[in-house]
Each structure stands twice: as C-alpha cells, then as structure tokens.
Amino acid sequence: MIKVLLVDDQMILAEGIKSVLQTSDDIRVCGIALDGAEALEACKKETPDVVLMDIRMPNMNGVVATKRIKEFDENIKIVILTTFDDSDYILSAINNGASGYLLKDISANALIDAVKNAYAGDTILPVKIARKITSAAAMVADDKKIKVKKAFAFSDREVEIALMIADGFTNRQIANALKLTDGTARNYISAIYLKLGVDGRGAAAEKIKAAM
C-alpha cells in the first residue's frame, strides 16, 4: 500500500484528488496538509511514501517544503501537482529534490500511474514540462557563456573550455568531449590561464565562476 500525503491550500481540490487516488487499491491517502509547514509536521507524524505538493501556498510554499521534507527524510518521494508551469518553479522544485512535476489538468488514471511510478523511483516529467526545463537550462547556459566571454574576451572555443574548467573537467576529459588532441586542449587552457592572469586550475575555476 502506497501512503500519500496531499498538500494543497484549497481543501475542495485536495478532497477531489483524494477521491481519485483512493479508487486505486494500491494507494491510501494518509493525510491532507493546507501548506508546507503543515506538510512537514504531517511527515514527522506519519511518514508518507509519496507527497503530492502544490506550489503556491501560505506560510511555506511548495519549493521550500520540498527542501525541508527531503532534509527530514530523503526517501520520501515528492511530486509537484500544480496549475503553474513556470520554468523557475519547475527548476527550483527539481533542484530541491522533487521527483516530478505535474499539472492539475492531468487525467485521473495518469495521476494514479504517476504516484505509482514516483513510488517506484521514476522521475515524473510530462513532455510539456520537460521541454520547459530544457529551454530554461539552455537559457541559463547561454547567459553564462555571454557573461564569461564578455568578462575575459574569450573566443567561442575558449568559452566552452572555460565553462568545462569551472565544472571540474580534467584536460583529458575536455579533449575527449571536444574531440581535440591533448596538446591542442593544453594550448587552449594555457591561453585561458593567461587571459585570466592565473597559474593554476583552482584559481581559474574560481575566477570563471565569479564572472557567471
């Protein structure tokens, strides 16, 4: 039996979701919380297997509640269930430990399947949401490239390599990823160090990160 905690500040919606879930013999709704703070306390009283979490709520929103619950017990699966498909919400929720992100227009059968899949350890991201994450991540990456290029007057290839240095890639990993010879990779890295005015990888990574 999968124990599910519902977190939504609109009780009528929570009751409707409860009715849907309990049509499945494999799911038991163990509680309803009206905000993130109540959800955290509910998890401490009876640990659920899966939490269906709204985003916008009073006292403690869904993103913060997700973080706090995962700190309390990392084994609890949290799936965001909301009307908001804003990419900032999606990325924040996933980065804070959510196992998935669903919109409330989901069908009853799909919601039941999502709970079961989350319980099994799957990541639950509908195509529409996955596209938003990909798009948002691309925008963040482009923003970093522009900032680093402008800060140090790097070439496009130097920007690529500089970001990889900041992410902790070794010379060999950089060469393999960009299909360069080891010598060519070393030459690019030396040129980057020169433009940064540093002698080593640690100092280079710090300076690059500071410019992002």
Side-chain angles (χ1 to χ4, degrees):
M1 183 72 71
I2 304 170
K3 291 188 295 180
V4 178
L5 173 66
L6 303 180
V7 189
D8 198 306
D9 62 335
Q10 297 184 58
M11 180 60 81
I12 192 166
L13 287 178
E15 291 288 358
I17 294 166
K18 178 180 178 179
S19 298
V20 166
L21 293 179
Q22 294 196 154
T23 61
S24 169
D25 295 334
D26 302 320
I27 296 172
R28 175 173 74 85
V29 174
C30 62
I32 294 174
L34 298 178
D35 60 46
E38 281 189 21
L40 182 57
E41 291 308 309
C43 287
K44 292 176 180 177
K45 288 176 184 173
E46 181 180 3
T47 305
D49 299 305
V50 178
V51 176
L52 286 180
M53 178 83 71
D54 195 8
I55 281 281
R56 288 189 185 174
M57 296 178 291
N59 300 322
M60 185 188 294
N61 68 36
V63 172
V64 176
T66 295
K67 184 175 186 292
R68 297 276 177 84
I69 291 170
K70 294 299 282 189
E71 287 171 349
F72 166 69
D73 187 340
E74 64 180 12
N75 294 315
I76 297 173
K77 310 297 184 185
I78 301 175
V79 177
I80 303 298
L81 180 62
T82 184
T83 55
F84 304 101
D85 63 352
D86 183 282
S87 58
D88 287 341
Y89 282 139
I90 299 167
L91 289 172
S92 294
I94 300 300
N95 288 338
N96 280 292
S99 298
Y101 199 105
L102 299 171
L103 299 178
K104 286 180 179 174
D105 60 1
I106 188 170
S107 70
N109 287 339
L111 181 59
I112 289 168
D113 287 344
V115 168
K116 292 178 180 178
N117 291 338
Y119 176 69
D122 294 342
T123 298
I124 315 301
L125 288 174
V127 172
K128 180 182 177 183
I129 299 298
R131 281 182 186 146
K132 276 193 171 281
I133 290 178
T134 303
S135 176
M139 286 175 66
V140 169
D142 287 344
D143 186 50
K144 286 180 180 178
K145 287 178 182 178
I146 291 166
K147 286 179 179 176
V148 170
K149 184 171 186 174
K150 190 178 290 186
F152 306 113
F154 286 154
S155 68
D156 289 343
R157 178 64 90 186
E158 286 170 346
V159 169
E160 280 185 288
I161 294 172
L163 292 177
M164 294 177 81
I165 290 171
D167 285 337
F169 283 69
T170 64
N171 287 17
R172 175 59 61 83
Q173 288 170 333
I174 290 170
N176 289 342
L178 300 179
K179 296 182 171 54
L180 303 172
T181 65
D182 288 349
T184 301
R186 278 197 303 271
N187 288 340
Y188 274 118
I189 292 165
S190 295
I192 288 168
Y193 288 178
L194 186 62
K195 288 185 178 180
L196 291 173
V198 299
D199 295 323
R201 198 175 214 84
E206 281 184 26
K207 208 160 184 180
I208 294 161
K209 286 177 183 175
M212 291 179 183

